[in-house]
Amino acid sequence: MSFAMPNIRLNPFGVIVLVVLGGGTLLFIQRTYYNGSDTKANEVISASKGELISMKELLAASIQLAERGGVVVKDIRDSHRLNEASKGKTKEGMNNPVTDGDMKSHEAIVSGFKKSFPSVFVVSEEHEKKEFDMESVKPVNKDIPVVSKVIQTDEKIPSGDITVWVDPLDATQEYTEDLLQYVTTMVCVAVKGRPVIGVIHKPFLEDGPKTSWAWVGKGHAPHLQEIKYDANILKSPRIIVSRSHAGDVEKVAKTTFGESTEVIPAGGAGFKVMSLLEGKADAYVHVTLIKKWDICAGNAILQEMNSKMSTLEGGVIDYDRYDDPKNPDGLLATIWDHEQFLEKLKPVYERMKAEKS
């Protein structure tokens, strides 16, 4: 018997397994990917892409589950029972805390996806190895007014093409310091590595929690509005940066745009992206490694709002489950003039990297 092998591209750890059944050939591809614990894991993927998933229903679920996580995060903070621990130090030597808020929100969000969309692959920042009591998990409503009033059409995608990224508590350091305005819970749906649905939920606003969401090319939460273009944006921009890396970014920003540049330190990637969309900053700059669960939801929302996020080298960020969850090449998010910001920032960033290497 003879047969022609298809043209298949594998990553460096790929393995092809052929199982011959009844004179036919059933093809399986084993690929290596990174899971939420930053370790390599193996998954066998059949030639089938899996069941078709309604993206409209997945959007409805993502909104509800981000809000479900937000309720947990707020209840634990209000009870003053954080049970704070440390996951160690970041690459920059900062403490990397974890609390019951992180873990319980993770359980609420991930178990909700497993209950309602068991075939969809979920990557969460927290990754405890425990089985959920699925009998006790409340299913989501797959048709909610907040979505159906805005989204009139649907699209069905094979589950094998979908990766859901979950940040169950963004800005944990600020959460422990009671700087609650920075805290968000986030869900992002990527299709073939591209961010398509983004949800950023703020549980601690004075006038009550607020959820911002978008489905690229389909619609977004009604309160999201495009920011009016300012022709002088590059002359004296407002740059929002991480509180923990404000010094490095301030140096880059002021070297690039001048001493009059306003640098705004803030916690949480979700908060920073929303600051752009709320007209409180012109660009979000990050010069060190950042994880993809921190930025995927914001990336999707910015794209729907005709704005942009990239690495500081101008690269597209891939959110496929098989890709490394670390984005080491810095971050630039803007409402307007992304390429002009990038043109000015890139050489300064590259010089800074060269000095540190």
Side-chain angles (χ1 to χ4, degrees):
M1 180 181 70
S2 63
F3 56 89
M5 282 294 294
N7 183 19
I8 300 170
R9 295 180 63 189
L10 296 174
N11 66 25
F13 302 94
V15 177
I16 298 177
V17 180
L18 294 177
V19 182
V20 179
L21 298 173
T25 301
L26 179 64
L27 173 65
F28 291 87
I29 303 173
Q30 180 175 333
R31 299 180 66 184
T32 301
Y33 66 94
Y34 290 85
N35 63 13
S37 61
D38 293 346
T39 58
K40 296 188 182 74
N42 293 322
E43 179 183 57
V44 176
I45 301 179
S46 72
S48 168
K49 287 286 189 176
E51 68 170 310
L52 292 176
I53 302 295
S54 162
M55 294 295 284
K56 189 174 181 179
E57 293 180 353
L58 195 54
L59 168 60
S62 298
I63 292 170
Q64 292 169 84
L65 292 173
E67 292 174 344
R68 190 178 293 182
V71 170
V72 172
V73 164
K74 189 174 188 305
D75 286 348
I76 289 174
R77 179 69 258 188
D78 290 347
S79 73
H80 303 287
R81 294 194 299 268
L82 270 62
N83 290 326
E84 181 184 351
S86 177
K87 292 191 283 189
K89 298 287 186 180
T90 67
K91 185 178 179 181
E92 295 76 35
M94 304 295 294
N95 181 44
N96 189 13
V98 63
T99 68
D100 275 2
D102 298 85
M103 302 312 300
K104 297 300 183 183
S105 176
H106 157 83
E107 292 178 17
I109 297 173
V110 175
S111 66
F113 277 113
K114 288 185 177 296
K115 181 83 170 186
S116 299
F117 297 93
S119 66
V120 170
F121 192 90
V122 180
V123 181
S124 174
E125 177 177 10
E126 311 308 335
H127 40 268
E128 59 181 346
K129 294 181 179 179
K130 64 178 290 186
E131 295 295 326
F132 299 118
D133 177 12
M134 298 307 295
E135 293 296 323
S136 66
V137 177
K138 182 181 177 181
V140 298
N141 186 344
K142 295 183 179 180
D143 182 13
I144 57 176
V146 71
V147 170
S148 59
K149 287 179 180 178
V150 175
I151 307 296
Q152 306 302 320
T153 60
D154 197 3
E155 186 175 351
K156 294 193 175 181
I157 302 293
S159 61
D161 288 339
I162 296 171
T163 305
V164 173
W165 292 83
V166 172
D167 192 338
L169 199 171
D170 189 36
T172 300
Q173 182 63 48
E174 288 72 21
Y175 183 66
T176 65
E177 297 171 359
D178 215 21
L179 298 171
L180 302 177
Q181 70 272 25
Y182 297 125
V183 173
T184 63
T185 59
M186 296 190 287
V187 174
C188 179
V189 178
V191 175
K192 295 183 178 179
R194 296 294 172 259
V196 172
I197 288 172
V199 181
I200 299 177
H201 175 67
K202 292 183 176 182
F204 291 104
L205 298 181
E206 288 185 5
D207 54 352
K210 188 175 187 178
T211 306
S212 301
W213 58 267
W215 179 3
V216 178
K218 299 288 187 179
H220 52 267
H223 66 264
L224 292 175
Q225 302 292 329
E226 285 194 29
I227 303 299
K228 185 177 179 181
Y229 180 65
D230 180 359
N232 296 314
I233 194 171
L234 286 164
K235 293 180 180 178
S236 184
R238 299 164 297 166
I239 310 289
I240 194 164
V241 305
S242 170
R243 290 174 67 232
S244 57
H245 305 103
D248 285 344
V249 188
E250 183 169 3
K251 178 182 176 182
V252 170
K254 292 194 172 183
T255 300
T256 304
F257 300 105
E259 288 299 318
S260 64
T261 303
E262 182 182 358
V263 176
I264 309 166
F271 177 89
K272 297 185 193 70
V273 167
M274 291 313 303
S275 294
L276 301 181
L277 294 164
E278 292 162 1
K280 298 174 182 176
D282 302 312
Y284 166 24
V285 178
H286 191 87
V287 297
T288 58
L289 181 148
I290 192 167
K291 300 294 182 64
K292 292 178 181 177
W293 44 70
D294 291 316
I295 58 177
C296 185
N299 198 337
I301 295 175
L302 286 169
Q303 189 172 333
E304 161 62 14
M305 301 306 294
N306 298 314
S307 301
K308 191 168 182 180
M309 178 184 290
S310 73
T311 70
L312 272 174
E313 297 177 342
V316 173
I317 303 168
D318 193 327
Y319 298 95
D320 191 274
R321 76 188 74 171
Y322 306 109
D323 203 46
D324 191 336
K326 298 186 293 290
N327 171 47
D329 298 321
L331 183 77
L332 172 65
T334 59
I335 297 296
W336 300 107
D337 294 339
H338 190 87
E339 297 305 318
Q340 289 89 337
F341 270 101
L342 196 63
E343 183 181 352
K344 289 177 175 293
L345 282 165
K346 186 177 177 180
V348 179
Y349 171 65
E350 289 178 343
R351 283 201 306 272
M352 187 190 80
K353 283 204 311 180
E355 289 170 1
K356 289 189 173 182
S357 62

